[in-house]
Amino acid sequence: MTFSHTVHGHTYEFSSLVSVLAKASPLRSGDELAGCAAHSDAERSAARWVLADLPLTTFLEHPVVPYETDEVTRLILDTHDREAFAPLTALTVGGLRDLLLVTITQPGAAAALAAICAGLTPEMVAAVSKLMRNQDLIAVARAIEVSAAFRTTIGTPGTLATRLQPNHPTDDPRGIAAATLDGLLLGCGDAVIGINPATDSPHATQDLLKLLDDVRTRFDIPTQSCVLSHVTTTLGLIEAGAPVDLVFQSIAGTEGANRAFGVNIGLLDEANAAAREMGRGTVGNNVMYLETGQGSALSSGTHLGTGGEPVDQQTLEARAYAVARHLEPLLVNTVVGFIGPEYLYDGKQITRAGLEDHFCGKLLGLPMGVDVCYTNHAEADQDDMDDLLTLLAVAGVAFVITVPGADDIMLGYQSLAYHDALYVRRTLGLRPAPEFDAWLAAQGMLDETGGLRDITVDASPLRALAAAGPPGMSSS
């Protein structure tokens, strides 16, 4: 299957659907590294003309990654809702773009979008995103409503939740408790209090779980905790009776990339069922926390599609959301600039990727969050992160990640500060998750407008915890 389009007398030819998708993507360093990017803006424009005229049924008839060898493809096609897709069968990719942009202007847009979304595959969603300007991605994403719940409800309109990320390079409980206190007093932590452990030791992970659970129960905080160890470690801790709220795992858009992460869909299903059986949620039972990121398949050499051609990183990212959707998670976030400039070179590429990922995730029915971040060797700075945070908040992002001072001293990358969440909530009139909002108000931490006031809550027990660690834990 070949395609062509003529621009100003020059005919551009594309060898396959995989090639059209790759060359229609906005410029990014990862696709250049993979050798699949358009060679010029003219070629990119020609690929978009071809893509706009492709029937949506093309993506069902011609899988981007082979059905026979990839369980993610099988999941996508075997679970595709043909009934929901039926009203869309006559549409092209360009027609889907038009439909989305018209639908958001109509009464009842959220319900109408939900009906459309149910019939879409990740490849269709990735394709339409390539035809959209940033404002299109923002406008459509904002109109989609997706929520999930455990002890707090994530993704309801008018809210912006935060992950409080109190990482420490040696997993020192005193340092973690101090960073947790800092975040809570600044109104963060309603999505999750989540630690990236310095090791994947089951013993250390269990200690951290007990620390977070002690903080949560001591102060009766309506939130959930997570130590982001490998799913197999967490499964073992569930069996041992540890206080596991959420099961974390990084996922990707091909079977090979997930294998590189040490997982498959069956293992993720097992973990999802095990955590749900614990019944620790109070307002819901969504128990998975999943992270993705453009470039993860390329970084493990598992990015080749049908015909052995490299698949562009944004299409593969959207395919990861099929795995996430299958698991009905509480939280999903793309770590948009974390993998490095080899995949997203500068602030412009990071911003575009963040908006694409958020749009595609919501269009596929996920309570989508974003780690607004970059590494120090990328051509980006905190102003770029301010811009992306603001754009995502306008687009209705479910949650963002916050760390002390915007500088994660364990993972060595730049994200958002606790204060950044205060800025965007105040500026755009957003509230924390409803249950956490009520808790903050009960502590006397919110004024009548929802802004933080001078702290009147007695935080001395938590300060003592920060100084000494919880009972029975070593501080070494």
Side-chain angles (χ1 to χ4, degrees):
M1 184 172 59
T2 61
F3 308 89
S4 65
H5 185 77
T6 301
V7 179
H8 300 307
H10 181 84
T11 299
Y12 293 90
E13 295 187 352
F14 308 97
S15 60
S16 66
L17 176 60
V18 170
S19 177
V20 171
L21 285 166
K23 289 179 166 49
S25 288
L27 178 65
R28 60 207 57 200
S29 52
D31 290 341
E32 291 181 307
L33 180 63
C36 64
H39 294 97
S40 66
D41 288 338
E43 185 180 28
R44 185 172 296 108
S45 178
R48 288 175 179 171
W49 276 104
V50 171
L51 188 61
D53 289 337
L54 282 182
L56 293 180
T57 53
T58 305
F59 299 98
L60 301 176
E61 297 162 356
H62 301 278
V64 170
V65 182
Y67 181 93
E68 297 77 14
T69 59
D70 190 275
E71 69 170 0
V72 177
T73 300
R74 293 194 291 274
L75 174 69
I76 291 167
L77 294 180
D78 292 351
T79 63
H80 181 230
D81 189 337
R82 302 281 174 152
E83 184 177 345
F85 181 67
L88 311 176
T89 52
L91 287 180
T92 62
V93 177
L96 175 60
R97 175 185 178 273
D98 293 344
L99 176 63
L100 292 172
L101 292 174
V102 168
T103 300
I104 65 174
T105 68
Q106 306 298 315
L113 286 169
I116 294 169
C117 296
L120 300 177
T121 68
E123 289 85 353
M124 297 173 192
V125 169
V128 76
S129 76
K130 298 175 193 294
L131 304 182
M132 302 179 86
R133 294 171 57 186
N134 285 1
Q135 68 173 248
D136 299 336
L137 299 174
I138 293 167
V140 174
R142 182 176 179 84
I144 300 170
E145 296 180 9
V146 184
S147 63
F150 189 74
R151 292 194 190 96
T152 57
T153 305
I154 306 301
T156 56
T159 66
L160 173 67
T162 56
R163 170 182 163 189
L164 195 168
Q165 182 170 296
N167 293 346
H168 192 278
T170 64
D171 290 340
D172 186 329
R174 292 171 298 181
I176 289 169
T180 301
L181 168 62
D182 187 20
L184 288 171
L185 294 180
L186 289 170
C188 293
D190 45 339
V192 65
I193 303 175
I195 303 170
N196 295 90
T199 75
D200 204 44
S201 155
H203 176 74
T205 300
Q206 181 165 269
D207 277 353
L208 294 175
L209 284 169
K210 289 179 178 178
L211 166 61
L212 294 182
D213 200 55
D214 185 48
V215 170
R216 181 187 64 80
T217 56
R218 188 180 300 192
F219 295 93
D220 196 25
I221 306 170
T223 189
Q224 35 283 329
S225 63
C226 185
V227 176
L228 282 66
S229 56
H230 192 268
V231 64
T232 52
T233 301
T234 305
L235 263 172
L237 291 172
I238 290 174
E239 294 172 1
V244 173
D245 288 341
L246 304 183
V247 176
F248 170 82
Q249 184 56 48
S250 295
I251 59 171
T254 67
E255 179 177 338
N258 285 321
R259 190 183 307 118
F261 284 136
V263 300
N264 56 45
I265 293 172
L267 177 61
L268 295 171
D269 283 339
E270 180 186 350
N272 194 16
R276 286 187 168 186
E277 286 175 6
M278 297 184 73
R280 290 173 59 84
T282 55
V283 296
N285 205 25
N286 300 110
V287 297
M288 299 297 288
Y289 177 15
L290 305 169
E291 276 194 342
T292 67
Q294 288 194 28
S296 58
L298 175 58
S299 68
S300 60
T302 55
H303 62 294
L304 300 182
T306 300
E309 291 185 274
V311 183
D312 69 275
Q313 64 185 39
Q314 191 260 335
T315 297
L316 292 179
E317 171 72 7
R319 283 170 53 91
Y321 303 153
V323 179
R325 178 170 62 176
H326 168 70
L327 295 166
E328 300 179 333
L330 177 72
L331 306 171
V332 184
N333 71 258
T334 169
V335 284
V336 67
F338 180 74
I339 305 181
E342 299 85 357
Y343 306 95
L344 295 169
Y345 179 71
D346 57 15
K348 182 179 178 66
Q349 292 188 14
I350 291 170
T351 296
R352 173 69 191 192
L355 294 176
E356 287 171 347
D357 293 352
H358 177 250
F359 165 86
C360 290
K362 287 192 80 173
L363 206 57
L364 289 167
L366 293 172
M368 195 70 193
V370 177
D371 188 354
V372 179
C373 63
Y374 65 101
T375 58
N376 285 315
H377 61 312
E379 291 295 323
D381 59 27
Q382 213 63 35
D383 286 338
D384 295 310
M385 300 304 101
D386 289 347
D387 294 345
L388 180 52
L389 168 63
T390 306
L391 294 172
L392 286 167
V394 172
V397 71
F399 73 101
V400 294
I401 291 178
T402 56
V403 306
D407 185 4
D408 190 303
I409 59 173
M410 195 279 281
L411 292 175
Y413 79 117
Q414 307 302 123
S415 186
L416 298 175
Y418 303 140
H419 296 81
D420 295 330
L422 292 180
Y423 140 73
V424 79
R425 282 173 174 165
R426 180 180 298 112
T427 302
L428 297 179
L430 300 171
R431 304 293 293 242
E435 300 83 0
F436 194 80
D437 191 303
W439 178 78
L440 289 172
Q443 308 309 308
M445 295 169 64
L446 294 182
D447 62 25
E448 58 277 3
T449 69
L452 283 183
R453 67 171 73 190
D454 291 339
I455 304 304
T456 58
V457 62
D458 179 12
S460 55
L462 190 51
R463 291 194 177 95
L465 182 61
M473 281 193 61
S474 168
S475 61
S476 60

